[in-house]
């Protein structure tokens, strides 16, 4: 989730490279956005500037403090939260399309499920403002998103590299992370990693060492809520371009694994169901 602050800026601030918006979330380390990185937006005939503060799903009830700092001097401090924003919107629900209202409710349920799973700020659930009926999230059918894994030979074992598993990183944008095991006699530099993006282009990926024991990972990042239903083809090839491993995998492929794993906690399953509903509502609003 991104919380966007829209600011009118005096010319002296817009031209000052030392000016920035400072965000503080739940008294954490401040997050700074330079005026040079603010996005100009035209509204009612005037240009205002958007400053975005990234939040993870469990932070929807957290108060975000924002203030402009110019040459070390702080301006007025503003406070807001995703939950407050949602409360205001839902109080005027007759002024918004029905799909937008459903999206906001799904967003709050996703936030509350994340709070429960991560045991974070559970005394102030994001969906606490909803009725019991609106809090109910049905179990999703993830069968269409099951991962397809292909290997060049013997699951890649004969090539010195094998697929280990995948995970999700749920921040303001979603990241799918794939893990691979490299045997002791192989060199990670002898493999090329890539994926096919939503426009059909092949994008190179850089492997990072994830832990001791020859485990490496690659990240497919920047996945927006309305695109969580998509699978992405991740490929590992040798230096001679021979295919070693191909994964057809998306965020909801991870959800499929959770839903079909008897050892998955009910809290994680609930989080995946809420994520799916949030994704579906975002997809519908994006199509309007």
């Amino acid at each position: 989730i991104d919380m966007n602050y829209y600011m009118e800026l005096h010319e002296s601030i817009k031209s000052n490279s030392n000016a920035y918006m400072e965000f503080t979330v739940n008294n954490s380390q401040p997050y700074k956005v330079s005026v040079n990185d603010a996005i100009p937006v035209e509204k009612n005939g005037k240009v205002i500037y958007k400053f975005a503060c990234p939040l993870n799903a469990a932070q929807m009830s957290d108060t975000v403090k924002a203030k402009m700092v110019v040459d070390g001097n702080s301006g007025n401090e503003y406070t807001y939260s995703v939950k407050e924003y949602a409360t205001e919107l839902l109080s005027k629900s007759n002024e918004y399309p029905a799909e937008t209202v459903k999206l906001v409710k799904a967003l709050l349920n996703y936030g509350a499920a994340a709070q429960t799973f991560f045991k974070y700020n559970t005394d102030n659930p994001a969906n606490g403002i909803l009725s019991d009926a609106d809090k109910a999230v049905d179990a999703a059918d993830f069968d269409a998103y099951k991962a397809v894994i292909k290997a060049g030979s013997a699951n890649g074992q004969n090539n010195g590299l094998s697929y280990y598993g995948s995970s999700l990183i749920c921040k303001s944008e979603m990241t799918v992370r794939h893990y691979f095991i490299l045997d002791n006699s192989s060199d990670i530099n002898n493999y090329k990693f890539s994926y096919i993006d939503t426009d059909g282009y092949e994008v190179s990926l850089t492997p990072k060492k994830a832990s001791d024991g020859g485990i490496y990972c690659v990240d497919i990042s920047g996945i927006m809520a309305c695109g969580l239903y998509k699978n992405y083809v991740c490929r590992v090839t040798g230096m001679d371009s021979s295919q070693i491993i191909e994964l057809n995998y998306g965020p909801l492929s991870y959800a499929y694994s959770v839903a079909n794993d008897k050892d998955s906690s009910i809290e994680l399953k609930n989080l995946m169901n809420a994520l799916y509903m949030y994704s579906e509502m975002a997809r519908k609003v994006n199509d309007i």
Side-chain angles (χ1 to χ4, degrees), residues 211-274:
S211 69
D212 294 334
I215 298 179
Y216 287 80
C217 65
V218 294
D219 289 349
I220 300 173
S221 56
I223 305 172
M224 305 298 287
C226 58
L228 293 178
Y229 70 96
K230 297 178 181 177
N231 277 16
Y232 299 84
V233 174
C234 178
R235 291 177 179 147
V236 184
T237 59
M239 298 306 291
D240 60 355
S241 297
S242 60
Q243 181 172 299
I244 297 173
I245 301 170
E246 180 178 281
L247 305 172
N248 191 312
Y249 193 106
L252 298 183
S253 301
Y254 176 81
Y256 171 88
S257 299
V258 168
N260 289 277
D261 184 352
K262 62 181 177 59
D263 294 325
S264 295
S265 68
I266 187 64
E267 292 81 8
L268 182 55
K269 290 183 177 181
N270 288 341
L271 176 57
M272 292 298 101
N273 289 328

Side-chain angles (χ1 to χ4, degrees), residues 60-61 81-88 108 124-129:
M60 291 186 204
S61 295
S81 71
V82 174
K83 186 176 181 179
E84 285 181 75
Y85 170 81
T87 300
E88 289 185 21
L108 295 176
N124 186 16
N127 67 351
I129 62 175

Side-chain angles (χ1 to χ4, degrees), residues 24 48 78 105-108 121 135 150-151 161 173 180:
T24 307
I48 56 178
Y78 306 91
K105 292 178 179 178
L107 170 70
L108 295 176
N121 196 15
K135 289 178 184 177
K150 300 177 182 178
L161 189 79
E173 293 178 343
F180 301 88

Side-chain angles (χ1 to χ4, degrees), residues 199-214:
D199 295 320
Y201 293 103
E202 188 165 8
V203 180
S204 295
L205 296 171
T206 301
K208 300 176 293 185
K209 192 157 189 178
S211 69
D212 294 334

Side-chain angles (χ1 to χ4, degrees), residues 92-287:
K92 308 172 187 175
S93 58
N94 61 320
E95 299 177 15
Y96 294 90
E99 296 300 335
T100 298
V101 173
K102 291 177 182 178
L103 170 60
V104 171
K105 292 178 179 178
L107 170 70
L108 295 176
N109 283 330
Y110 171 43
Q115 288 173 268
T116 300
F117 176 72
F118 291 108
K119 297 178 174 63
Y120 177 84
N121 196 15
T122 54
D123 291 337
N124 186 16
N127 67 351
I129 62 175
L130 300 182
S131 67
D132 289 343
D134 285 333
K135 289 178 184 177
V137 178
D138 293 334
D141 182 358
F142 296 111
D143 287 353
Y145 308 101
K146 182 179 179 180
V148 178
I149 304 170
K150 300 177 182 178
S153 58
N155 199 28
Q157 296 285 358
N158 293 344
N159 297 290
L161 189 79
S162 59
Y163 171 64
Y164 182 68
S166 300
S167 65
L168 293 185
I169 300 172
C170 306
K171 295 188 177 180
S172 58
E173 293 178 343
M174 187 73 69
T175 295
V176 170
R177 176 169 289 175
H178 295 307
Y179 297 87
F180 301 88
I181 298 180
L182 185 73
D183 68 29
N184 293 331
S185 62
S186 301
D187 185 345
I188 194 66
N189 294 313
N190 291 333
Y191 304 89
K192 293 186 290 186
F193 297 80
S194 64
Y195 82 100
I196 308 301
D197 69 12
T198 54
D199 295 320
Y201 293 103
E202 188 165 8
V203 180
S204 295
L205 296 171
T206 301
K208 300 176 293 185
K209 192 157 189 178
S211 69
D212 294 334
I215 298 179
Y216 287 80
C217 65
V218 294
D219 289 349
I220 300 173
S221 56
I223 305 172
M224 305 298 287
C226 58
L228 293 178
Y229 70 96
K230 297 178 181 177
N231 277 16
Y232 299 84
V233 174
C234 178
R235 291 177 179 147
V236 184
T237 59
M239 298 306 291
D240 60 355
S241 297
S242 60
Q243 181 172 299
I244 297 173
I245 301 170
E246 180 178 281
L247 305 172
N248 191 312
Y249 193 106
L252 298 183
S253 301
Y254 176 81
Y256 171 88
S257 299
V258 168
N260 289 277
D261 184 352
K262 62 181 177 59
D263 294 325
S264 295
S265 68
I266 187 64
E267 292 81 8
L268 182 55
K269 290 183 177 181
N270 288 341
L271 176 57
M272 292 298 101
N273 289 328
L275 174 65
Y276 172 80
M277 185 55 64
Y278 171 49
S279 168
E280 284 297 287
M281 291 301 101
R283 184 178 172 187
K284 288 180 180 179
V285 168
N286 189 64
D287 290 339

